[in-house]
Amino acid sequence: MPRSFLVRKSACPRRRPNYSELHDSSPEFTFQQPYDQAHLLAAIPPPEVLNPTASLPTLIWDSLLAPQAQPIGWPSLLPPEVPKAVELTSLSDEDSGKGSQPPSPPSPAPSSFSSTSASSLEAEGYAAFPGLGPLPKQLSGLAGAKDPQSRKAFNCKYCNKEYVSLGALKMHIRSHTLPCVCGTCGKAFSRPWLLQGHVRTHTGEKPFSCSHCSRAFADRSNLRAHLQTHSDVKKYQCKTCSRTFSRMSLLHKHQESGCSGGPR
DNA sequence: CTGGGGAGGGGGCCC
DNA sequence: GGGGCCCCCTCCCCA
């Protein structure tokens, strides 16, 4: 089951934002000195600057989750001590996008969303989060909001995805507004740690080493995937032929190309 | 076609 | 309640 069960996603062609749009963005959102964490700035450009097409849905919601995809037992392959990555928490507050400050207009803090008044939420929330879609009817009227039977729903203005919590929506909106901008190439990211991972592509830093071979990776997830290659029994198994794969995508490919059915 | 690396996104958990 | 971190997943590309 996808971890994103909280969100109803619409079918979209691609997930990636249109980074090319960034090149046209105002210089005030770019930074000149890369590699220094102090410069992993979380610029907060208006969404329309970062991604004028933000209103376009950008997700493909995979309907491909193969019912046969089934993680099998996976003894931990992680080395006893995985090298600690660069201090992910060392971004300065003003730089890291900490606080998930919404992009753009100087406006009331997001905390204003905690207001229990739907009307004030709407008024203040929209100022702080341009990506917020129209308030659901349940929240537009206090009576509806108080109705335990009515499910609160928060819709993203950009893609109309529906979230069950405001926090989830706020996090999602960052994927549209992309407040964290790489000082080297101008790419923008929704979260500071994503930017940090990206910066490693510029620096070549690979803090995650494989304990089984000499390879190192910039990303922990990629190391984890790599560790699968050292395992005889991979994590994902085809129920038809019992063949195992290191990645779900490989299992999908295997099944889509027509599993022969026989064990390998 | 398959396997694997690189890069990135999303949501949950925990502090 | 918010933010950082982690895990899982996907896509692209290449050998």
Side-chain angles (χ1 to χ4, degrees):
Chain A
M1 166 167 133
R3 309 181 102 223
S4 48
F5 64 94
L6 287 177
V7 55
R8 189 178 304 152
K9 302 192 177 187
S10 56
C12 316
R14 283 290 292 138
R15 168 179 303 180
R16 298 176 195 284
N18 185 0
Y19 291 130
S20 63
E21 300 290 350
L22 294 172
H23 299 306
D24 296 326
S25 63
S26 164
E28 69 181 296
F29 301 127
T30 62
F31 304 92
Q32 302 308 314
Q33 296 176 304
Y35 312 147
D36 184 334
Q37 290 188 347
H39 295 87
L40 300 182
L41 298 176
I44 310 179
E48 61 271 20
V49 171
L50 275 178
N51 191 350
T53 61
S55 59
L56 296 176
T58 55
L59 291 184
I60 208 169
W61 198 236
D62 61 298
S63 54
L64 303 177
L65 255 197
Q68 295 181 339
Q70 160 189 358
I72 61 178
W74 183 36
S76 173
L77 291 172
L78 287 178
E81 291 217 2
V82 175
K84 182 63 183 172
V86 292
E87 257 328 294
L88 293 174
T89 59
S90 61
L91 292 174
S92 63
D93 287 358
E94 61 273 18
D95 290 348
S96 64
K98 179 181 175 182
S100 70
Q101 293 290 348
S104 108
S107 53
S111 59
S112 61
F113 277 104
S114 60
S115 166
T116 54
S117 159
S119 56
S120 64
L121 191 159
E122 188 165 13
E124 299 176 22
Y126 284 5
F129 286 92
L132 285 176
L135 268 184
K137 287 184 179 177
Q138 295 95 320
L139 291 180
S140 296
L142 289 178
K146 288 175 181 177
D147 180 4
Q149 297 301 323
S150 64
R151 285 205 56 167
K152 292 182 181 178
F154 302 87
N155 288 88
C156 174
K157 164 179 164 181
Y158 296 120
C159 65
N160 206 35
K161 283 183 207 163
E162 187 176 301
Y163 288 82
V164 298
S165 74
L166 191 55
L169 174 60
K170 284 162 67 179
M171 183 61 69
H172 164 77
I173 286 174
R174 291 179 67 108
S175 69
H176 289 297
T177 58
L178 304 175
C180 307
V181 180
C182 174
T184 302
C185 67
K187 278 189 179 180
F189 300 85
S190 58
R191 309 184 207 185
W193 57 266
L194 275 173
L195 170 59
Q196 195 135 33
H198 164 78
V199 166
R200 292 197 194 112
T201 68
H202 295 305
T203 64
E205 180 190 11
K206 295 181 177 181
F208 302 99
S209 306
C210 176
S211 60
H212 301 274
C213 66
S214 58
R215 290 198 68 102
F217 300 84
D219 182 86
R220 181 180 269 115
S221 290
N222 290 337
L223 169 60
R224 192 173 293 111
H226 165 79
L227 286 171
Q228 282 283 306
T229 68
H230 290 300
S231 174
D232 288 337
V233 179
K234 309 297 194 298
K235 190 177 182 179
Y236 301 97
Q237 183 176 41
C238 174
K239 278 189 172 178
T240 304
C241 67
S242 297
R243 189 176 176 188
T244 58
F245 299 86
S246 59
R247 301 176 183 210
M248 178 81 81
S249 58
L250 294 177
L251 173 57
H252 285 163
K253 283 183 186 177
H254 164 76
Q255 291 171 330
E256 286 169 2
S257 65
C259 172
S260 61
R264 295 185 54 166

